[in-house]
Amino acid sequence: MSGKIVIILCLFALLLGCKPKPESKSTLSFNFKIEVDGTDISYHSVDYENLAGNKYQVDEVKFFISGVRFHAKEGQWHSIQKDEGIHYFDSNLPNTYNWLIDNELNIGNYDSVSFIFGLPPEQNVTGYFVNPPENNMAWPELLGGGYHYMQINGKWLNTNNILQPFNLHTGIGQIYENGQVAAFVHNHFSVTLPMSEFVMVENEVREISLVMNVNDWFNTPNQLDWNEIGGSIMQNQPVQELLRANGPTVFSLK
């Protein structure tokens, strides 16, 4: 073999050896928990009371989060691509209590997570989901189409001490003029939560839990009284706005 060929082969091998290694990725187990003021929720029992004095029970909780991103301490946001960055939680479906995000986050330190509660306009369109359970969250076309952001269904004791159904359903709102829909309002909102010393480690599955405190939907900063707002709010944009303002205080990380 000539000396020139040997030199070329050595240079080629050197170049191959200098190629940067791909960044190591790790796996995250994103868990979802429903609580009432720090205690795991108990369904189908009148165990709870909000600041307005409504005694109530919760029968089921369903919601979407989307646009999930994790912020690394060095300053970069890492968007989750799995399932198009969308997760659907349904208290009736235990398989939705956990979202395994495999091989997406770089190893290293993360200090916050952000997400959209509900769906952004580009994804909140009728037909986006073709299969259950997600497509069972469809929002009526006459009310704007797309999907519910959330359904919390339960009952409260009204002023006559009679158990009455409530449907805390959030989604696209409507502005009415002369009894007709004049405009639609997207009521999704963003949440950013700090994480303390959260380190993604190579070849390990890290866990983090997103907690929803149901009582905070009714309490902070706006107090909601079911005896005033009634049992259904899908066409009540002022109440939808109050819930949108309450939403960021509802969530925490464990």
Side-chain angles (χ1 to χ4, degrees):
M1 184 180 293
S2 71
K4 287 184 178 180
I5 294 175
V6 171
I7 292 171
I8 290 172
L9 289 174
C10 290
L11 288 173
F12 185 68
L14 183 62
L15 288 171
L16 287 176
C18 291
K19 288 180 68 176
K21 293 182 179 179
E23 289 185 282
S24 297
K25 303 287 186 177
S26 51
T27 298
L28 176 69
S29 179
F30 203 174
N31 306 313
F32 295 81
K33 294 174 62 66
I34 309 298
E35 296 183 354
V36 178
D37 297 336
T39 303
D40 289 346
I41 195 166
S42 175
Y43 293 102
H44 310 296
S45 180
V46 187
D47 291 334
Y48 307 115
E49 183 173 350
N50 61 25
L51 291 179
N54 302 143
K55 295 181 179 179
Y56 69 95
Q57 72 181 53
V58 174
D59 296 328
E60 59 183 0
V61 179
K62 308 175 183 181
F63 62 87
F64 286 104
I65 65 168
S66 58
V68 178
R69 302 187 302 160
F70 286 82
H71 188 261
K73 280 193 172 181
E74 68 267 20
Q76 294 178 316
W77 282 102
H78 298 265
S79 297
I80 298 303
Q81 302 302 316
K82 181 178 181 179
D83 304 322
E84 300 178 85
I86 299 172
H87 184 73
Y88 170 67
F89 173 89
D90 188 327
S91 61
N92 300 306
L93 301 174
N95 65 311
T96 67
Y97 293 8
N98 172 269
W99 190 28
L100 190 66
I101 302 169
D102 186 35
N103 203 35
E104 286 208 32
L105 290 174
N106 296 336
I107 62 172
N109 298 310
Y110 292 82
D111 58 19
S112 59
V113 60
S114 75
F115 59 88
I116 293 170
F117 185 75
L119 298 164
E122 62 271 19
Q123 292 173 311
N124 194 23
V125 291
T126 299
Y128 191 86
F129 299 107
V130 297
N131 297 314
E134 291 87 352
N135 66 358
N136 293 331
M137 292 283 280
W139 190 262
E141 283 289 329
L142 289 174
L143 303 184
Y147 301 88
H148 290 74
Y149 306 150
M150 175 178 71
Q151 293 182 356
I152 298 180
N153 297 316
K155 302 176 180 67
W156 92 99
L157 288 172
N158 65 18
T159 54
N160 295 317
N161 210 38
I162 296 173
L163 207 57
Q164 185 170 343
F166 73 75
N167 301 306
L168 193 74
H169 291 191
T170 65
I172 294 176
Q174 313 85 37
I175 304 298
Y176 288 88
E177 293 180 3
N178 300 319
Q180 302 294 319
V181 176
F184 295 110
V185 182
H186 292 280
N187 289 309
H188 62 287
F189 57 86
S190 296
V191 178
T192 299
L193 299 172
M195 298 190 295
S196 177
E197 296 301 321
F198 189 77
V199 183
M200 296 299 293
V201 181
E202 190 173 8
N203 298 323
E204 289 187 16
V205 179
R206 291 301 313 275
E207 292 191 4
I208 191 168
S209 294
L210 179 66
V211 180
M212 174 191 286
N213 180 9
V214 170
N215 219 18
D216 275 345
W217 283 113
F218 311 120
N219 292 343
T220 309
N222 302 301
Q223 291 186 27
L224 300 183
D225 184 342
W226 286 107
N227 293 309
E228 295 180 0
I229 66 176
S232 180
I233 63 166
M234 287 179 65
Q235 293 177 266
N236 192 334
Q237 178 56 23
V239 173
Q240 296 275 338
E241 291 177 2
L242 295 176
L243 287 165
R244 185 173 60 191
N246 285 3
T249 70
V250 167
F251 297 96
S252 62
L253 295 175
K254 282 188 176 180

